């Protein structure tokens, strides 16, 4: 006997059960409802006599919620497994922080307004105390990014003088941030000491003279010198600078507020060792918006904030909103909910379950391609923790239907562009950096690219 329309309608899944299937995602119930309503009307009009699978319904709902392809600057799916991918915008913000940013963006705010007195206030007032408490510093000031922070610190504290740096720390970060050039741009002279692999305390002591304005230590964020090496630690450097009355400046780069790796001391631990001025990025290991955070002794921070360059490099209101939201998450013990932290600390067991989930969504389409799970070894990216391995899992696609380069290109051209990589004749979709909701976008893309063989 033919199924009645009512029987078919009864097979349409509930919105709640579909939402549950997606778990923690940004898919809106509204989009799911719209897809289900369309199904209902298609059944009633006799257009369809069978309800599609749950996966297909979810794919349609996810795609519906993502109709942003007319923007040139848009959301993408990062299937590289690199959590802090500089070209893909580094740290994704937590939803609760993004919501606060949207609120601030849509109206007026106390950017430089003191609500108590009704007079002009400080741009730093909302984040100053939070930063000093979290970092264990006397004062704080923030600018547009960490490159700006280093330039500002050098301009304010070192212009006209000499800055001592170990040859092992003359770093270049992607996008033309080079320590020697930043020092000269800041109006100071670089005094290189030691050698590439070894710098001793005596090298620093010997280099200090009347024209020395600071000792600068730079975190070798994107490389490590291993083997026959020696560098002078912060504690020893701070003994030298205390004696000579010079500021000890440290460009920490990544700047974690919670312990993520044995080899990477947190901002708090670094401050305790005696740094006078410390700068780090807001969108690296902190997991927040692009900004440069400068913390340290009040007398130096005051000087930095008064420098004319500060006006040119200061943070905008949306960044302040995002940064304050991030700092509150750390204050409230919710660091594990920060996407960057959550992605970096995901266990291989969880990643494997995710990979299996993606495979199960792709499997029903395997006529024109085959899928398997492979182990991968990722990096943090963003010039952080360069020697740390992050084992993960990827879904590997192989196919005879088209060259892998073409598949990779087509995924990249998708409405929500999907970035994958080709390795050993397989197209890899690393699941560490992809939300479960986006599995359905990937499925939708793969299905269309292979000509709807589902
Ligand atoms: C990343 C990094 C920078 C540049 O920071 P941005 O936030 O990208 O401007 C500067 N110094 C070090 C040591 C870094 O790791």
């Amino acid at each position: 006997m033919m199924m009645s329309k009512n029987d078919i309608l009864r097979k349409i899944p509930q919105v709640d059960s579909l939402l549950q299937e997606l778990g923690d995602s940004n898919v809106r119930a509204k989009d799911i409802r719209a897809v289900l309503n369309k199904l209902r009307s298609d059944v009633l009009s006799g257009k369809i006599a069978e309800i599609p699978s749950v996966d297909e319904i979810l794919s349609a709902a996810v795609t519906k919620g993502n109709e942003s392809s007319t923007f040139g600057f848009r959301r993408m799916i990062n299937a590289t497994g690199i959590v802090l991918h500089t070209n893909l915008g580094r740290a994704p913000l937590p939803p609760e922080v993004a919501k606060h940013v949207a609120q601030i963006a849509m109206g007026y705010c106390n950017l430089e307004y003191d609500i108590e007195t009704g007079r002009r206030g400080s741009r730093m007032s909302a984040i100053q105390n939070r930063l000093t408490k979290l970092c264990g510093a006397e004062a704080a000031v923030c600018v547009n990014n960490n490159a700006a922070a280093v330039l500002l610190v050098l301009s304010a504290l070192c212009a006209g003088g000499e800055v001592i740096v170990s040859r092992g720390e003359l770093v270049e970060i992607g996008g033309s941030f080079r320590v020697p050039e930043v020092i000269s741009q800041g109006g100071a002279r670089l005094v290189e000491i030691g050698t590439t692999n070894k710098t001793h305390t005596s090298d620093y002591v010997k280099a200090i003279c009347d024209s020395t304005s600071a000792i600068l230590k730079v975190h070798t964020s994107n490389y490590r010198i291993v083997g026959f090496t020696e560098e002078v630690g912060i504690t020893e450097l701070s003994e030298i600078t205390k004696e000579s009355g010079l500021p000890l400046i440290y460009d920490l780069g990544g700047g974690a507020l919670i312990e993520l790796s044995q080899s990477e001391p947190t901002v708090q631990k670094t401050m305790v060792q005696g740094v006078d001025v410390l700068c780090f990025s807001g969108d690296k290991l902190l997991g927040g918006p692009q900004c440069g955070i400068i913390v340290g002794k009040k007398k130096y921070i005051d000087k930095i904030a008064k420098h004319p360059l500060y006006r040119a490099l200061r943070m905008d209101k949306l960044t302040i909103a995002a940064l304050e939201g991030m700092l509150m998450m750390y204050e409230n013990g919710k660091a594990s909910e920060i996407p960057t932290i959550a992605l970096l600390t995901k266990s291989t067991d969880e990643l494997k379950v995710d990979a299996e989930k993606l495979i199960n969504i792709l499997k029903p389409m395997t006529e024109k391609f085959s899928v398997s799970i492979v182990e991968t070894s990722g990096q943090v990216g963003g010039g952080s923790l360069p020697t740390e391995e992050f084992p993960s899992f990827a879904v590997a696609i192989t196919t005879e239907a088209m060259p892998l380069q073409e598949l990779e290109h087509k995924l990249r051209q998708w409405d929500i562009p999907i970035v994958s990589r080709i390795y050993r004749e397989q197209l890899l979709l690393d699941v560490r950096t992809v939300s479960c909701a986006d599995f359905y976008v990937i499925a939708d893309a793969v299905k269309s690219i292979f000509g709807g063989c589902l």
Side-chain angles (χ1 to χ4, degrees):
M1 200 185 80
M2 276 251 306
M3 267 212 279
S4 76
K5 281 180 184 170
N6 273 338
D7 289 338
I8 304 171
L9 285 176
R10 245 177 261 125
K11 292 196 157 176
I12 294 180
Q14 301 288 312
V15 177
D16 285 344
S17 71
L18 289 172
L19 278 172
Q20 228 161 22
E21 183 79 19
L22 285 170
D24 196 16
S25 83
N26 50 8
V27 177
R28 295 170 303 182
K30 193 177 121 198
D31 296 319
I32 296 181
R33 247 176 241 120
V35 170
L36 297 185
N37 286 339
K38 170 93 175 37
L39 275 180
R40 253 175 231 118
S41 69
D42 284 353
V43 171
L44 290 171
S45 69
K47 232 164 128 184
I48 55 170
E50 207 180 322
I51 300 300
S53 72
V54 166
D55 286 348
E56 281 176 285
I57 295 173
L58 289 174
S59 288
V62 169
T63 308
K64 197 161 186 57
N66 283 313
E67 283 159 6
S68 65
S69 54
T70 49
F71 286 96
F73 182 44
R74 53 202 157 120
R75 171 172 119 69
M76 285 184 42
I77 293 173
N78 172 10
T80 65
I82 298 168
V83 175
L84 293 173
H85 199 304
T86 298
N87 301 145
L88 304 186
R90 289 196 188 153
L93 293 183
E96 60 188 274
V97 172
K99 275 183 203 140
H100 177 59
V101 174
Q103 285 277 316
I104 294 287
M106 287 187 285
Y108 298 98
C109 57
N110 60 332
L111 178 63
E112 287 189 358
Y113 184 86
D114 186 329
I115 295 170
E116 261 329 292
T117 63
R119 301 233 173 86
R120 184 176 178 158
S122 155
R123 189 171 280 254
M124 282 296 297
S125 63
I127 45 181
Q128 167 85 241
N129 283 341
R130 299 193 194 279
L131 269 175
T132 51
K133 277 209 194 98
L134 281 168
C135 301
E138 283 176 19
V141 67
C142 299
V143 287
N144 185 46
N145 55 33
N146 189 40
V150 179
L151 175 64
L152 177 62
V153 169
L154 291 168
S155 305
L157 304 181
C158 308
E162 290 178 355
V163 177
I164 301 172
V165 189
S166 160
R167 286 199 170 87
E169 297 170 8
L170 294 173
V171 172
E172 172 177 318
I173 306 286
S176 69
F177 175 91
R178 308 175 103 193
V179 169
E181 286 161 23
V182 178
I183 290 174
S184 62
Q185 189 64 46
R189 272 191 318 285
L190 165 65
V191 175
E192 298 177 30
I193 56 159
T195 60
T196 305
N197 57 328
K198 282 206 171 201
T199 301
H200 309 282
T201 309
S202 58
D203 294 323
Y204 283 97
V205 174
K206 268 188 287 179
I208 294 176
C209 68
D210 285 348
S211 45
T212 306
S213 53
I215 288 181
L216 172 66
K217 187 164 178 67
V218 186
H219 192 285
T220 58
S221 299
N222 49 10
Y223 67 96
R224 290 280 184 272
I225 296 174
V226 293
F228 188 60
T229 63
E230 188 171 329
E231 68 170 314
V232 184
I234 294 293
T235 314
E236 286 163 280
L237 285 179
S238 88
E239 274 162 27
I240 303 172
T241 49
K242 268 194 200 101
E243 215 164 277
S244 51
L246 294 166
L248 173 58
I249 303 167
Y250 188 11
D251 173 11
L252 183 61
L257 292 185
I258 58 159
E259 187 124 354
L260 288 170
S261 152
Q262 300 273 305
S263 65
E264 197 74 14
T266 59
V267 168
Q268 303 87 309
K269 278 196 180 152
T270 310
M271 283 308 290
V272 170
Q273 293 178 322
V275 180
D276 295 310
V277 178
L278 182 75
C279 26
F280 58 98
S281 290
D283 56 351
K284 287 187 183 169
L285 296 174
L286 187 148
Q290 178 193 302
C291 62
I293 299 165
I294 309 168
V295 294
K297 294 249 162 69
K298 189 170 184 307
K299 66 169 178 180
Y300 295 122
I301 299 295
D302 283 349
K303 209 170 164 193
I304 291 164
K306 282 199 190 96
H307 191 276
L309 254 187
Y310 171 65
R311 173 62 179 78
L313 302 176
R314 69 187 186 185
M315 272 195 306
D316 81 300
K317 60 180 179 179
L318 301 186
T319 310
I320 295 173
L323 181 58
E324 185 181 26
M326 297 306 304
L327 299 177
M328 285 166 75
M329 291 195 75
Y330 282 101
E331 283 170 5
N332 300 334
K334 286 162 81 177
S336 61
E337 290 170 36
I338 294 169
T340 299
I341 311 283
L343 296 180
L344 286 174
T345 52
K346 231 175 185 183
S347 72
T348 43
D349 285 348
E350 287 172 275
L351 291 163
K352 185 143 196 217
V353 168
D354 283 353
E356 276 157 6
K357 181 160 183 177
L358 178 55
I359 278 245
N360 286 334
I361 301 171
L362 294 174
K363 266 261 167 74
M365 325 173 183
T366 48
E367 236 169 76
K368 294 188 184 168
F369 59 93
S370 55
V371 282
S372 60
I373 295 181
V374 298
E375 285 178 43
T376 58
S377 173
Q379 284 208 333
V380 183
S384 303
L385 312 179
T387 50
E388 214 97 341
E389 297 271 322
F390 284 80
S392 178
F393 287 94
V395 168
I397 299 182
T398 52
T399 181
E400 303 279 295
M402 68 182 82
L404 284 181
Q405 279 76 10
E406 186 182 332
L407 177 59
E408 186 272 337
H409 182 252
K410 285 192 162 146
L411 286 169
R412 202 152 26 85
Q413 301 283 305
W414 192 244
D415 265 8
I416 304 160
I418 301 159
V419 188
S420 60
R421 70 195 158 95
I422 297 169
Y423 181 68
R424 295 197 174 151
E425 265 126 76
Q426 293 177 314
L427 182 123
L428 299 186
L429 298 158
D430 196 310
V431 294
R432 185 188 290 275
T433 43
V434 184
S435 71
C436 287
D438 282 346
F439 288 170
Y440 295 98
V441 180
I442 292 177
D444 207 31
V446 169
K447 183 176 133 192
S448 302
I449 290 169
F450 282 100
C453 48
L454 187 67

